[in-house]
């Protein structure tokens, strides 16, 4: 069936809430590594990789080989949360890759296979283990679409309803480019951590000690915004001193994406609860939390779900976890990411609409602004959603799939597979450069 027909039928049949399907009107029919072929016969470089899921790219031969073998073996594909050899092997591999004191020690809880359910589980575990109800979360955060997870997220449309007995207190994320304090990321990190400490120590703060603080080390959907290491270490110190659990959501940053196996490792911080999904399942749906064993005080059935033991996801996940470590893909991501960011910064010199280039490893963002507009009182130029949308479309025309994020979708986001080659990275830059010229010519 032709691309246009597929897209028309999708538009007739599927929900108005669909997203990527609208902004990236490709009907993928084949894919390998960082390349996707659409029903129109065109090949695209994939810098979206399933919203950061495909660490090893599409159809990595070791993953597909192991999946074929699992299917051939007659192993049960669906086992609720019963143990299988595939699940045991996955757990062994994951436990060996966890950060800091969680390594080989953590308890694992397998969730329904979406990041958002693992966030729900983390919040529930924290409330259970501490007996407290409140949670501190950050501006600009994205933790998922279910009610508990969206209640700790930033955007208005996502704000879920928790009961009054489960309050969420918002702390400012140290977003340097649009700094809430007008002082830049490092100092904002200090102030944000000081505010956290003051909430916990001032008897008149009006805020009850929470069960947990939840954060992303690099905010992904929030626009590739990095929290400084010193901020993260301070949050860790303060939470530990006050018996507040630190939940780090590594759904997007985990498994090598940021140049470390886990993003929290760069600052030498270990969370009490680590949330993982996306790449952990090797492209198949899988989500879980790994946490300090002494927190395991909840009871059978406190957090369940039908799909917590998908054999194919365990197989694909185990191979992905192992391959990322064996092939030193975090180091590769760091090197290649630095090169791409360097190229983007060079482009920014000629294209003032690129306000800032940032990111870690192969989690890269370029914030797009209106250079002709008046800066705000803090000196920031307003974001440029129309330019961002036009650039995304021009990239697609040039055969480059990528995503937007951040406030008003004004941040161009690159999340290529970690196996992206140097030549492919050059091609990404060339296509992006041409797309920028296309957009500016059309303006
Ligand atoms: N946490 C983070 C940091 C995410 O980036 C996402 C998804 N983009 C989620 C949670 C939610 O994951 P899912 O879409 O699988 O529910």
């Amino acid at each position: 069936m032709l691309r246009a027909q597929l897209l028309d039928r999708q538009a007739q049949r599927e929900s108005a809430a669909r997203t990527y399907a609208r902004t990236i009107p490709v009907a993928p029919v084949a894919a390998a590594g960082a390349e996707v072929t659409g029903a129109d016969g065109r090949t695209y470089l994939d810098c979206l990789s399933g919203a950061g899921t495909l660490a090893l790219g599409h159809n990595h031969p070791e993953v597909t080989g192991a999946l074929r073998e699992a299917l051939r073996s007659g192993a049960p594909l669906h086992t609720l949360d019963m143990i299988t050899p595939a699940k045991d092997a996955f757990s062994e591999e994951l436990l060996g890759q966890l950060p800091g004191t969680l390594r080989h020690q953590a308890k694992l809880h397998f969730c329904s296979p979406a990041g958002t359910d693992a966030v729900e589980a983390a919040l529930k575990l924290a409330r259970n283990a501490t007996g407290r109800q409140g949670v501190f979360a950050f501006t600009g955060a994205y933790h998922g679409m279910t009610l508990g997870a969206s209640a700790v997220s930033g955007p208005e449309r996502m704000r879920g309803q928790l009961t009054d007995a489960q309050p969420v207190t918002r702390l400012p994320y140290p977003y340097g480019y649009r700094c809430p304090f007008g002082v830049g990321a490092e100092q904002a990190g200090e102030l944000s951590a000081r505010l956290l400490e003051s909430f916990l120590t001032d008897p008149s703060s009006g805020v009850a000690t929470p069960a947990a603080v939840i954060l992303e080390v690099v905010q992904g959907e929030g626009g590739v915004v990095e929290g400084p290491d010193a901020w993260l270490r301070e949050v860790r110190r303060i939470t530990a001193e006050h018996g507040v659990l630190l939940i780090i959501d590594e759904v997007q940053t985990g498994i090598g994406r940021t140049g470390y196996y886990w993003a929290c490792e760069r600052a030498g911080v270990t969370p009490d609860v680590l949330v993982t999904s996306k790449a952990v399942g090797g492209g198949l749906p899988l989500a879980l939390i790994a946490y300090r064993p002494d927190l395991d005080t909840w009871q059978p059935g406190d957090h369940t779900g039908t799909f917590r033991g998908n054999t194919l996801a365990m197989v694909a996940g185990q191979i992905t976890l192992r391959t990322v470590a064996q092939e030193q893909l975090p180091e590769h991501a760091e090197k290649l990411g630095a090169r791409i960011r360097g190229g983007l910064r060079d482009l920014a010199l000629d294209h003032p609409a690129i306000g800032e280039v940032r990111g870690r490893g192969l989690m890269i963002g370029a914030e797009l602004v209106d250079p002709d507009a008046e800066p705000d009182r803090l000196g920031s130029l307003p974001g440029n959603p129309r330019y961002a949308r036009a650039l995304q479309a021009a990239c697609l025309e040039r055969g480059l799939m990528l995503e937007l994020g951040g406030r008003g979708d004004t941040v161009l986001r690159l999340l290529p597979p970690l196996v992206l080659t140097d030549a492919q990275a050059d091609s990404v830059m060339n296509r992006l450069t041409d797309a920028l010229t296309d957009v500016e010519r059309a303006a």
Side-chain angles (χ1 to χ4, degrees), residues 390 394 435-443:
L436 276 165
T437 310
D438 295 343
V439 170
E440 284 165 17
R441 228 179 249 148

Side-chain angles (χ1 to χ4, degrees), residues 10 59 211 220 224 292 322 347 426:
Q10 181 184 38
N59 293 321
V224 195
R292 264 174 36 202
R322 196 183 65 203
L347 272 181
D426 289 343

Side-chain angles (χ1 to χ4, degrees), residues 34-75:
E35 290 185 357
V36 171
T37 304
D40 54 1
R42 289 192 63 190
T43 297
Y44 300 85
L45 269 172
D46 185 0
C47 281
L48 176 61
S49 52
T53 299
L54 300 163
L56 301 184
H58 294 271
N59 293 321
H60 189 279
E62 275 200 56
V63 172
T64 52
L67 290 174
R68 267 193 217 102
E69 175 53 28
L71 288 171
R72 197 204 51 76
S73 74

Side-chain angles (χ1 to χ4, degrees), residues 418-438:
L418 309 186
V419 294
L420 192 79
T421 63
D422 287 358
Q424 285 170 331
D426 289 343
S427 186
V428 167
M429 286 313 300
N430 290 338
R431 292 175 198 209
L432 197 51
T433 309
D434 291 343
L436 276 165
T437 310
D438 295 343

